[in-house]
Amino acid sequence: MSTINYPRKHRVQQVFMSYSPLNKKTAKVSQNSSSIILDIKPADNRFKIDQTSLTELVKEKNTDKLQNIGGVEGVASILETNVEFGIPGNVEDITLRRESFGSNSYKRPQRKSFFHFVVKEFKDLTIIISLLSVVSCLAFDMMDNETLARRNEDESLIAALFLVVISAISNFWQNRQFQKLSELCNNIQIKVVRARLHQKVSILELVVGDVVCLKIGDQVPADGLFLEGHSLKVEESSITQDESDHVEVNCHHPFLFCGTKVVDGYARMLVTSVGKNTTWGEVMSSIIHDTNELQTPLQIRLNKLTSSIRKVGLAIALLALVVLLVRYFTGNTADECVIEEFHGSKKKFYVMVKAMRILATATTIVELVIPKGFSLAVKRTHVYALKKMMIDQAMVRKLSAFETMGFATTICTDIAGSLTLNQMKVTKFWLGKESFEAAAYSSIAPYFLEFVQEGVAMNTIGTAYRPTSRFEIEFLSNPTEKAILSWAILELNMEMEQLMHNCKILSIEAFNSHMKRSGVLLRRMGDSTIHVHWKGAAEIILKMCPRYYDSSGVMKELDDHERMKFEKIIQGMEASSLQCVAFAHKQLSEEDQEYDTKDKNIEEEGLTLLGLVGLKDPCCPGVRNAVEDCQYAGVNVKMITGDNVFTARAIATECGILRLGQDMVNGVVIEGMEFRN
């Protein structure tokens, strides 16, 4: 392994460092016709730039300022990052970067104490009246030297207040569970390059200077600069609040912002700001987070019912209060064991005691009539269901999800990761019209295998590396790319690093779900020939090929009759629930080379079909029983897919969603585009 040199010094062209005390708080940029003067505040560490300058560099999108620092490579040099191998990644280096530039975390709201939930429960007007009534009765009884054992209404009120405390305990525990769940959901794994190794780390461990690998569907984890990549487009509506237009990011516009989403292409970025120093972090810091769970629909309906009962209870209690007061002061009290008759000769204090006892009786009626256990019982049920689902590795962020599931009549599911394990493996390889097993790969012509290996190694967003000689090769990419890379390296003996060293990529068309293909234009360094490689859905690639290689590696014409044979082969693999991927190749002539290298276009016509691979993604254990349980309960299960509809139909049959002999006219299996339309 070659030695990795991480630069400690850097050169800044046309930059004047100002160390005067006036510049310790702000970094100013002045521009004239000949040069740009950048004042960079000296940092109290080995890095020759402070966080404020890095934040403003990306936030202002000032390309002139960036170029005068030396471009992206200049910033990487200042941050002591090797653009190819990343940061050293040892404990001392990570610690120093966190101390200098901060950690990738945001200020979270202070945890609410148990006292907060107790106070919240006691804000109920009925509870306040009850509490005052209890305190008043107890005070007067103690002054009147009466025993407390006779006060049944006091015991009822105390029992009601005890239920309130239990409700506060339940809310407090529930809040703690959701905080833990939120922390678990925010712990996203991202792919970075450290000490030459591609590895996955928690987004919370990201530091300034890291080299992050981005692909379609990823959310940019920090502010940074574009290092290298192809066809990268991001959606910045989350930070600009504008329409969701796709912004192209490249060497001329290298600025990436935290919180934006990659919608096309792939790239590597240099992290310049993390946590609260990012554009997204500033927005998050200005927002007061409220982690309170909104009431579920059932709780809302129960609250309406409780409110109606409360009104009736208050009316009854008020009527009882008036009747008891009138009867007491008129001397018509029937039950002298409870309330003695009123006599004008008695002391005012004694009359006040009896009046408070009448008020306590009315308050007890209110407490007994209003069903406070409804809301508490619903919360306890939700929390119990939450714990049960977390045991099954299902994360529920809103309690209302349980009720939503209860009202569901139809479940729409995708394939990968839901019905299948999302662990693909190449199980079929077709060269021409003949299927090859792994043991027969050695009989394939070497030059033909070189074409296949070149198409796999150069036309991919995945990476393969061996941490040390003692460990197996690790693959980092999506399941499809990982399966193809694993097959090519382990079974075709592909040397990925050597192929990437022998070829130079001129242009790339990244894979997207609409085109269902990806292409690469490359130059071989040995003979300077230009080659085109395409990879994608078999039916798409087949339409681009007027020729094919047979099992002997001989190129033949692909007429309509031969094309029908290939279509049957593809349909046969799809009927076996295999995802079919095709490879195509073309070597450009001298005239085409001059045209394509100038405009960086990737030829789409006149290709030769190299071969077909079938990838198997096994169904999850128990998924068929789960589908049958849903259907038995009257819940319809439908499959929404972006893959080939025949493959989806085969998987749906295997999972029990589609029965044998049942057609798809009833919409059991639907393509994503049809579903959206």
Side-chain angles (χ1 to χ4, degrees):
M1 182 180 295
S2 59
T3 303
I4 305 172
N5 297 320
Y6 294 92
R8 286 190 170 273
K9 297 182 179 180
H10 61 279
R11 297 179 180 178
V12 182
Q13 299 178 352
Q14 296 180 344
V15 175
F16 303 90
M17 308 291 293
S18 176
Y19 293 98
S20 62
L22 296 175
N23 294 324
K24 288 187 177 180
K25 293 185 178 180
T26 59
K28 299 181 179 180
V29 179
S30 61
Q31 183 175 358
N32 53 39
S33 58
S34 60
S35 65
I36 296 177
I37 300 177
L38 173 66
D39 294 335
I40 303 179
K41 184 181 78 173
D44 297 330
N45 50 60
R46 75 184 187 198
F47 304 105
K48 305 303 180 182
I49 192 170
D50 67 342
Q51 182 59 64
T52 303
S53 301
L54 286 172
T55 301
E56 293 179 353
L57 180 67
V58 177
K59 186 177 180 180
E60 295 174 359
K61 299 183 180 179
N62 194 326
T63 54
D64 294 332
K65 180 178 178 180
L66 177 62
Q67 291 302 320
N68 279 273
I69 301 179
V72 179
E73 293 184 356
V75 177
S77 180
I78 295 174
L79 296 175
E80 300 186 10
T81 298
N82 188 299
V83 295
E84 184 178 357
F85 303 139
I87 62 176
N90 52 57
V91 177
E92 295 78 8
D93 181 63
I94 297 295
T95 302
L96 180 58
R97 292 177 186 273
R98 285 197 182 126
E99 292 175 351
S100 303
F101 304 108
S103 60
N104 196 27
S105 59
Y106 306 104
K107 184 179 180 181
R108 298 188 179 277
Q110 187 176 4
R111 288 193 173 187
K112 297 176 181 178
S113 63
F114 175 71
F115 179 73
H116 168 83
F117 293 97
V118 174
V119 173
K120 183 179 179 181
E121 291 294 330
F122 277 102
K123 287 183 179 179
D124 189 349
L125 180 61
T126 307
I127 297 298
I128 295 175
I129 296 174
S130 301
L131 183 62
L132 293 176
S133 175
V134 169
V135 173
S136 301
C137 288
L138 291 176
F140 283 120
D141 287 346
M142 293 175 65
M143 294 175 65
D144 199 29
N145 296 322
E146 294 189 14
T147 60
L148 299 179
R150 296 170 52 194
R151 311 307 180 203
N152 296 328
E153 61 273 15
D154 296 345
E155 296 175 359
S156 301
L157 291 174
I158 293 174
L161 295 176
F162 175 75
L163 290 177
V164 172
V165 175
I166 294 298
S167 179
I169 294 175
S170 175
N171 291 334
F172 174 75
W173 180 84
Q174 176 185 310
N175 181 263
R176 285 290 185 267
Q177 293 296 318
F178 273 104
Q179 286 180 341
K180 293 179 181 179
L181 183 62
S182 178
E183 293 174 359
L184 184 62
C185 293
N186 292 331
N187 188 20
I188 303 171
Q189 298 292 313
I190 57 174
K191 179 181 172 183
V192 300
V193 182
R194 289 181 179 176
R196 196 177 185 175
L197 300 179
H198 294 255
Q199 51 190 286
K200 285 188 176 182
V201 301
S202 170
I203 192 174
L204 303 176
E205 298 177 6
L206 201 66
V207 294
V208 171
D210 260 324
V211 176
V212 179
C213 302
L214 301 173
K215 62 182 184 300
I216 295 178
D218 286 347
Q219 184 171 332
V220 180
D223 286 359
L225 298 170
F226 176 90
L227 283 174
E228 62 176 359
H230 296 276
S231 307
L232 183 67
K233 292 183 179 181
V234 297
E235 183 182 324
E236 297 184 350
S237 59
S238 60
I239 60 173
T240 60
Q241 304 300 324
D242 296 330
E243 296 294 331
S244 57
D245 294 333
H246 298 166
V247 179
E248 185 173 357
V249 182
N250 48 41
C251 296
H252 304 291
H253 183 271
F255 306 102
L256 288 161
F257 298 95
C258 179
T260 58
K261 185 177 181 181
V262 179
V263 294
D264 198 4
Y266 63 93
R268 296 202 301 169
M269 67 170 284
L270 173 68
V271 176
T272 58
S273 301
V274 294
K276 63 181 180 181
N277 298 316
T278 63
T279 306
W280 179 254
E282 293 179 0
V283 177
M284 296 294 290
S285 299
S286 62
I287 298 176
I288 300 177
H289 297 276
D290 186 7
T291 57
N292 289 334
E293 174 72 15
L294 296 178
Q295 290 184 330
T296 66
L298 178 58
Q299 288 175 326
I300 293 174
R301 290 194 294 271
L302 286 178
N303 287 340
K304 290 182 179 179
L305 176 61
T306 303
S307 177
S308 301
I309 297 176
R310 179 184 287 115
K311 293 176 182 179
V312 175
L314 287 174
I316 295 174
L318 181 61
L319 179 61
L321 177 64
V322 173
V323 171
L324 289 175
L325 287 175
V326 170
R327 296 185 65 189
Y328 174 67
F329 286 107
T330 57
N332 295 321
T333 305
D335 190 358
E336 296 184 359
C337 295
V338 179
I339 302 177
E340 299 178 0
E341 293 184 357
F342 170 75
H343 299 284
S345 60
K346 291 186 178 182
K347 297 180 180 180
K348 293 182 179 180
F349 174 77
Y350 184 81
V351 174
M352 188 176 298
V353 171
K354 300 308 177 183
M356 289 302 301
R357 286 182 52 73
I358 293 175
L359 178 61
T361 301
T363 307
T364 303
I365 295 175
V366 175
E367 286 296 324
L368 294 176
V369 170
I370 298 176
K372 289 188 173 295
F374 280 179
S375 179
L376 180 61
V378 172
K379 289 181 181 179
R380 297 298 297 174
T381 304
H382 284 156
V383 172
Y384 173 77
L386 174 65
K387 290 181 63 179
K388 292 279 288 184
M389 294 193 70
M390 288 185 67
I391 294 175
D392 294 333
Q393 305 299 318
M395 297 183 183
V396 181
R397 304 195 67 172
K398 292 184 179 296
L399 288 179
S400 57
F402 300 112
E403 295 177 18
T404 304
M405 291 167 59
F407 288 112
T409 58
T410 302
I411 296 177
C412 297
T413 177
D414 61 350
I415 300 176
S418 299
L419 300 176
T420 61
L421 294 174
N422 210 14
Q423 298 174 359
M424 291 190 173
K425 182 180 180 181
V426 174
T427 58
K428 288 286 186 179
F429 174 48
W430 288 77
L431 174 55
K433 294 172 288 184
E434 183 177 341
S435 175
F436 279 76
E437 300 295 334
Y441 290 162
S442 58
S443 63
I444 302 176
Y447 76 92
F448 178 78
L449 281 181
E450 184 180 356
F451 285 150
V452 177
Q453 293 172 354
E454 192 176 73
V456 173
M458 306 306 296
N459 188 12
T460 182
I461 61 173
T463 56
Y465 70 96
R466 190 190 303 272
T468 65
S469 59
R470 295 176 298 174
F471 293 95
E472 296 181 353
I473 299 175
E474 295 187 10
F475 303 94
L476 294 177
S477 187
N478 58 57
T480 302
E481 294 285 354
K482 286 172 63 176
I484 295 176
L485 281 176
S486 175
W487 166 74
I489 292 176
L490 301 179
E491 298 186 21
L492 298 184
N493 300 318
M494 181 182 74
E495 296 291 340
M496 189 168 181
E497 290 188 5
Q498 182 179 349
L499 286 170
M500 297 185 71
H501 179 73
N502 295 336
C503 300
K504 180 182 179 181
I505 295 178
L506 303 177
S507 181
I508 281 183
E509 182 174 322
F511 180 87
N512 62 72
S513 58
H514 177 66
M515 300 299 295
K516 296 183 179 181
R517 65 182 186 183
S518 63
V520 61
L521 178 68
L522 58 89
R523 182 195 300 274
R524 289 184 178 177
M525 306 303 293
D527 53 12
S528 297
T529 56
I530 306 296
H531 296 260
V532 171
H533 286 277
W534 283 96
K535 177 183 68 178
E539 63 274 10
I540 302 296
I541 300 298
L542 183 62
K543 295 179 181 178
M544 303 165 60
C545 299
R547 293 178 297 274
Y548 74 98
Y549 285 103
D550 65 7
S551 58
S552 302
V554 179
M555 186 184 300
K556 293 185 177 181
E557 294 296 323
L558 187 60
D559 55 21
D560 293 340
H561 179 68
E562 297 294 328
R563 191 178 300 275
M564 290 181 60
K565 292 182 178 179
F566 277 100
E567 290 176 351
K568 289 183 179 179
I569 292 174
I570 295 172
Q571 292 176 4
M573 284 196 288
E574 291 169 347
S576 301
S577 68
L578 298 180
Q579 180 178 339
C580 193
V581 177
F583 298 91
H585 164 265
K586 179 181 181 181
Q587 180 176 345
L588 300 185
S589 62
E590 294 183 359
E591 294 78 8
D592 292 335
Q593 288 184 28
E594 182 179 355
Y595 172 77
D596 284 311
T597 54
K598 179 180 178 180
D599 295 333
K600 296 293 190 300
N601 292 328
I602 302 179
E603 186 67 42
E604 300 182 8
E605 299 178 354
L607 302 174
T608 304
L609 183 67
L610 289 177
L612 306 170
V613 293
L615 297 93
K616 177 69 174 179
D617 190 5
C619 291
C620 295
V623 68
R624 188 178 185 90
N625 293 333
V627 171
E628 291 176 355
D629 290 341
C630 291
Q631 293 173 342
Y632 179 77
V635 179
N636 298 318
V637 181
K638 298 182 182 294
M639 177 185 290
I640 314 297
T641 179
D643 298 330
N644 184 277
V645 68
F646 293 101
T647 305
R649 175 177 181 141
I651 296 176
T653 303
E654 186 177 351
C655 295
I657 298 176
L658 194 65
R659 294 181 178 86
L660 291 174
Q662 183 180 4
D663 55 19
M664 296 186 295
V665 295
N666 54 356
V668 176
V669 179
I670 309 173
E671 290 187 282
M673 185 63 68
E674 180 184 354
F675 179 76
R676 287 189 291 270
N677 292 336

